[in-house]
Amino acid sequence: QVQLVQSGAEVKKPGASVKVSCKASGYTFTSYYMHWVRQAPGQGLEWMGIINPSGGSTSYAQKFQGRVTMTRDTSTSTVYMELSSLRSEDTAVYYCAIAPSSAAFDIWGQGTMVTVSS
Amino acid sequence: NFMLTQPHSVSESPGKTVTISCTGSSGSIASNYVQWYQQRPGSAPTTVIYEDNQRPSGVPDRFSGSIDSSSNSASLTISGLKTEDEADYYCQSYDSSNHGVFGGGTKLTVL
């Protein structure tokens, strides 16, 4: 079955970077764009950006421009999201998601908790 | 910037019908499909409505979606409310750059 499995929880200090992975299985990796969405504790969902696993092209939400980098490794069917210059407000659960059959994000990873604390 | 605005919370009794609105800030909400997600604590969101009014298999027909161009809004209606429907609900669409946009979420309480 189609599955997205993310890397484990991270604790980082302010100013550091974090790299979260999302390994896809059960489908042709290059078939669907991968989105990243985050959710701060008790807050709503926030779209961060998108990567085309086929060519590697990316597009980021303006809020994260200059701080986020999304990459992919087609040999392992894995997408990465790196966020730099971390601050406490970046404490959140980070999700990868795909929209395989419609406009909806139907398949989500399990989420990765990133805590930014000194 | 295109934004979607939802009420912070709604509440209704079991068996009743509730409607959650999602209003677009600019342009026409009908220009891009609207999706609705249900999220329970500690879990990833799941789709309850996609492409304005389509229901995924497995979602009860108590859930329905609609678009009202006159008010530039989308709506999620849940009829025959059950306690299990208590959750957070998010609308989602895309802006002119094809970037995803989420509403702020609505906490549904079934009491």
Side-chain angles (χ1 to χ4, degrees):
Chain A
Q1 75 281 22
V2 177
Q3 201 172 4
L4 302 175
V5 178
Q6 299 183 221
S7 48
E10 303 261 14
V11 179
K12 296 292 183 181
K13 293 194 182 303
S17 297
V18 68
K19 193 170 186 177
V20 179
S21 68
C22 172
K23 183 174 176 59
S25 62
Y27 70 97
T28 302
F29 176 65
T30 53
S31 292
Y32 308 117
Y33 285 54
M34 187 77 72
H35 301 255
W36 287 89
V37 176
R38 79 176 186 179
Q39 185 171 37
Q43 303 300 309
L45 302 168
E46 183 173 32
W47 187 87
M48 298 181 68
I50 185 173
I51 180 168
N52 178 356
S54 179
S57 61
T58 56
S59 187
Y60 305 134
Q62 190 171 7
K63 175 177 180 175
F64 301 102
Q65 288 274 3
R67 279 211 305 144
V68 70
T69 305
M70 297 177 187
T71 57
R72 95 288 190 218
D73 181 345
T74 55
S75 68
T76 60
S77 299
T78 302
V79 168
Y80 300 91
M81 187 284 299
E82 184 170 21
L83 189 62
S84 62
S85 303
L86 290 169
R87 34 211 189 229
S88 59
E89 310 90 87
D90 295 317
T91 293
V93 176
Y94 289 76
Y95 293 101
C96 56
I98 58 172
S101 57
S102 71
F105 304 139
D106 282 335
I107 306 294
W108 295 69
Q110 83 275 21
T112 297
M113 181 71 211
V114 175
T115 302
V116 183
S117 174
S118 54
Chain B
N1 281 357
F2 180 63
M3 296 191 302
L4 296 170
T5 300
Q6 301 179 230
H8 182 68
S9 63
V10 295
S11 61
E12 190 50 272
S13 303
K16 299 291 190 180
T17 297
V18 70
T19 297
I20 299 172
S21 62
C22 171
T23 303
S25 62
S26 61
S28 171
I29 200 166
S31 298
N32 288 290
Y33 284 128
V34 175
Q35 284 63 238
W36 289 91
Y37 303 93
Q38 178 190 71
Q39 187 181 35
R40 294 195 172 97
S43 297
T46 60
T47 309
V48 292
I49 293 290
Y50 68 95
E51 295 179 357
D52 297 342
N53 54 20
Q54 302 300 301
R55 204 171 43 249
S57 60
V59 174
D61 60 5
R62 300 184 296 105
F63 289 79
S64 63
S66 63
I67 299 291
D68 181 353
S69 297
S70 65
S71 59
N72 208 38
S73 65
S75 294
L76 171 69
T77 299
I78 311 171
S79 60
L81 274 170
K82 300 185 176 185
T83 54
E84 68 204 47
D85 298 330
E86 190 163 289
D88 294 327
Y89 291 85
Y90 294 90
C91 59
Q92 177 262 319
S93 188
Y94 296 89
D95 66 13
S96 56
S97 300
N98 262 338
H99 289 182
V101 178
F102 286 96
T106 299
K107 181 177 180 59
L108 170 62
T109 301
V110 182
L111 37 63

